[in-house]
Amino acid sequence: MPAGVDRVAVVTGGSGGIGRAVCERLAQDGTAVVVAYSGSADRAEDLVGRLTAAGARALAARADVAEPDQVAGVLDAAERAFGGVDVVVHTAGVMRLAPLVELDLEELDALHRTNVRGTFVVSQLAARRVRPGGAIVNFSSSVVRLSLPTYSAYAASKGAVDAITRILALELRGRDVTVNAVAPGPTATPLFLDGKPEEVIERMAEQSPLERLGRPEDVAEVVSFLAGPARWVNGQVLYVNGGLA
């Protein structure tokens, strides 16, 4: 079932970075969009204003992705406003970088809470709500395969996302709902850029055969494919990194 005016998407982490680009692309596809955010209400409402001004249907809703009641509230809002949920895109995540021997375990717990528990909660509730012909799209990372120093905790959390995604796809047999994950490489977002020296960013950009960082729009294009026309792609982790890995 292709994306279109009758489809409704919930995008977690939708107020910034890749999530914002995903919301914009799905709106361009004709999909009603719920911008789910946890931090900045101003950014979320600004995005909703821009989308609606362009003729799209959109609303903002707040949720901590690790809290089932709050995630259920976002899905409820989507159903009340637009009649149902066809697509759930889970972009929300956090990154903590440090050598394994130095990482504070409280930082590890915080990472696990958002990236693993959050993915589990969103996937669980999405699986209960998404209508036939719909799609669940989680977010992994290319660092699962790259095995970069200081990324052990983050890569481990995204490895868990891969497992959740593949198994849920099998468990939804007979539902006509696809479950996939997108694994971006280095992408020019605050999550990637913040705290990195310019020389590190330039070196990582040069590693791709395309010799640049990814753009949020590059990733959103793949999400659009998985959210709409890609009905025969299921249980997969798609690496979106310009050929880096």
Side-chain angles (χ1 to χ4, degrees):
M1 180 179 178
V5 293
D6 294 326
R7 285 171 81 76
V8 180
V10 172
V11 182
T12 70
S15 63
I18 291 174
R20 184 184 186 93
V22 168
C23 290
E24 292 170 342
R25 176 56 188 264
L26 293 179
Q28 290 171 11
D29 291 341
T31 302
V33 176
V34 177
V35 181
Y37 68 95
S38 63
S40 175
D42 290 343
R43 287 204 309 268
E45 293 294 350
D46 175 73
L47 175 58
V48 168
R50 291 173 182 271
L51 295 177
T52 55
R57 298 175 299 158
L59 62 86
R62 186 186 181 283
D64 177 343
V65 295
E67 292 299 328
D69 289 347
Q70 295 185 30
V71 175
V74 172
L75 297 172
D76 290 342
E79 292 175 350
R80 285 194 302 268
F82 303 125
V85 178
D86 302 288
V87 178
V88 174
V89 184
H90 179 50
T91 79
V94 297
M95 183 184 293
R96 302 286 189 271
L97 301 182
L100 187 147
V101 297
E102 298 176 9
L103 184 68
D104 188 286
L105 292 182
E106 290 186 1
E107 292 286 305
L108 177 65
D109 290 343
L111 185 79
H112 185 279
R113 183 179 187 278
T114 298
N115 293 2
V116 181
R117 177 185 164 101
T119 299
F120 198 96
V121 167
V122 171
S123 295
Q124 184 179 71
L125 295 178
R128 295 171 180 171
R129 302 281 195 103
V130 169
R131 296 184 286 201
I136 299 169
V137 183
N138 288 321
F139 263 68
S140 180
S141 172
S142 289
V143 300
V144 174
R145 288 201 315 214
L146 292 173
S147 301
L148 300 174
T150 75
Y151 279 82
S152 60
Y154 182 71
S157 73
K158 293 302 185 177
V161 173
D162 293 358
I164 290 168
T165 298
R166 293 187 177 110
I167 292 170
L168 181 59
L170 295 173
E171 292 177 345
L172 293 187
R173 174 183 291 273
R175 286 277 307 280
D176 190 23
V177 173
T178 62
V179 187
N180 295 288
V182 175
T187 306
T189 66
L191 182 67
F192 172 77
L193 298 173
D194 287 353
K196 290 186 175 68
E198 187 62 32
E199 60 271 19
V200 171
I201 295 172
E202 291 178 0
R203 184 172 67 251
M204 296 190 75
E206 291 170 358
Q207 289 175 353
S208 165
L210 300 180
E211 297 184 330
R212 67 170 174 86
L213 293 178
R215 295 183 290 262
E217 294 79 11
D218 297 324
V219 182
E221 181 177 44
V222 178
V223 173
S224 171
F225 172 65
L226 294 174
R231 301 310 304 163
W232 200 235
V233 181
N234 192 25
Q236 305 301 310
V237 179
L238 275 65
Y239 279 70
V240 186
N241 57 30
L244 182 61

